[in-house]
Amino acid sequence: MIEVIAFDADDTLWHSESLYVMTQERYKQILAPYELNGDIDDWLYETEMRNLQTFGYGAKGFTLSMIETAIELTDGRVQGMDIQKIIDAVKEMMSEDIRLLEGVAETIPLLAKERTLMIITKGDLLDQESKIARSGLADYFRCIEIVSSKNKEVYQKLLDRHGIDVNSFLMVGNSMPSDILPILDLGAPAVHIPYEYTWTHEQVELAADPAGLYRLENIGRLPQLLERLDLLPA
């Protein structure tokens, strides 16, 4: 029986990547008057990838990568006032109201009555803590883990820390490399719920679905899946 369910937060419980997409569009508008020596989207992505080991995931790393990209693409000609506009755009993004995804508001309280719920998410600590608090969902989760990265070793440490049997654990998320594949490697099942926008870094194409992977259109279908999983032999 599945006793513990862990959820990714961004784009699994609430909208996040769409805000990054909109902010990146504003960023492109800010740089539009400049003569640039490369493609904004490609250059920014390469900068973000290069900076992951230094700044990690989240809004702060996104901001610094945008500023660095603006300096590089304009050969240092970007004006201070435009750097300020970039910073202001991210501040607005980080203060946006939390918009829960379809089915979340109804499903999470229902699941919390019978199962232990966790959040395991990555990103900037203060930003994630703020979003969790503003979501109105925090009280339904027994524990909340904000990590710098998600891989098999990180998940195993979390399971060990909380005394969770891998056979009673289920992970739910929108990212194949972060939320799904590491969990399958541990021998636990995982549920993939796609999001309309997915960062290129989080996209993985599978030749075939491995054992233990389940796909749902939205979180509202999760209770039905859990009923099926509980009937499977241990």
Side-chain angles (χ1 to χ4, degrees):
M1 177 177 177
I2 301 299
E3 299 176 354
V4 181
I5 308 173
F7 296 85
D8 176 48
D10 291 338
D11 303 325
T12 297
L13 297 176
W14 50 73
H15 294 273
S16 179
E17 187 64 26
S18 58
L19 296 177
Y20 279 83
V21 171
M22 289 187 290
T23 302
Q24 190 162 325
E25 288 302 313
R26 289 186 60 184
Y27 174 65
K28 290 158 70 173
Q29 293 172 8
I30 293 169
L31 295 185
Y34 294 91
E35 182 178 344
L36 306 178
N37 57 22
D39 179 79
I40 295 177
D41 291 329
D42 291 343
W43 203 296
L44 176 58
Y45 178 73
E46 291 177 5
T47 304
E48 288 182 282
M49 293 302 97
R50 188 172 65 244
N51 287 337
L52 274 181
Q53 293 300 316
T54 304
F55 302 138
Y57 295 88
K60 290 180 180 177
F62 181 56
T63 307
L64 292 169
S65 291
M66 283 197 294
I67 293 172
E68 182 177 343
T69 298
I71 293 170
E72 292 175 343
L73 283 177
T74 63
D75 292 323
R77 291 177 288 107
V78 64
Q79 298 294 307
M81 61 183 296
D82 289 324
I83 296 294
Q84 185 62 58
K85 290 178 183 178
I86 295 170
I87 295 172
D88 290 342
V90 178
K91 286 182 177 179
E92 290 181 24
M93 178 188 77
M94 295 176 68
S95 63
E96 284 280 346
D97 292 337
I98 299 299
R99 295 186 299 123
L100 300 181
L101 289 167
E102 179 183 357
V104 169
E106 301 81 16
T107 305
I108 293 300
L110 178 66
L111 295 177
K113 292 179 180 179
E114 299 181 350
R115 323 260 179 171
T116 297
L117 305 187
M118 302 175 63
I119 287 179
I120 302 178
T121 192
K122 64 186 178 184
D124 178 76
L125 179 62
L126 291 178
D127 184 31
Q128 294 291 44
E129 286 180 337
S130 173
K131 285 188 285 190
I132 292 168
R134 289 183 285 129
S135 72
L137 300 174
D139 290 343
Y140 295 110
F141 294 93
R142 187 75 58 85
C143 57
I144 295 171
E145 295 282 356
I146 301 171
V147 296
S148 59
S149 63
K150 290 180 178 179
N151 54 44
K152 182 179 179 180
E153 292 72 27
V154 169
Y155 282 114
Q156 186 63 67
K157 288 180 181 178
L158 293 178
L159 294 179
D160 292 343
R161 181 189 305 164
H162 294 284
I164 299 171
D165 184 347
V166 70
N167 295 311
S168 67
F169 181 75
L170 175 73
M171 182 70 195
V172 181
N174 72 296
S175 167
M176 277 291 179
S178 294
D179 304 319
I180 307 302
L181 298 181
I183 294 299
L184 297 180
D185 283 344
L186 287 176
V191 176
H192 181 251
I193 302 178
Y195 185 66
E196 57 184 320
Y197 301 104
T198 302
W199 192 26
T200 303
H201 183 62
E202 301 287 357
Q203 297 178 15
V204 170
E205 293 293 333
L206 300 178
D209 285 356
L213 168 60
Y214 300 89
R215 297 178 185 268
L216 297 178
E217 295 178 2
N218 61 68
I219 204 170
R221 298 180 180 272
L222 185 55
Q224 291 177 318
L225 174 62
L226 288 167
E227 291 179 5
R228 288 168 45 202
L229 294 179
D230 287 343
L231 294 176
L232 294 177

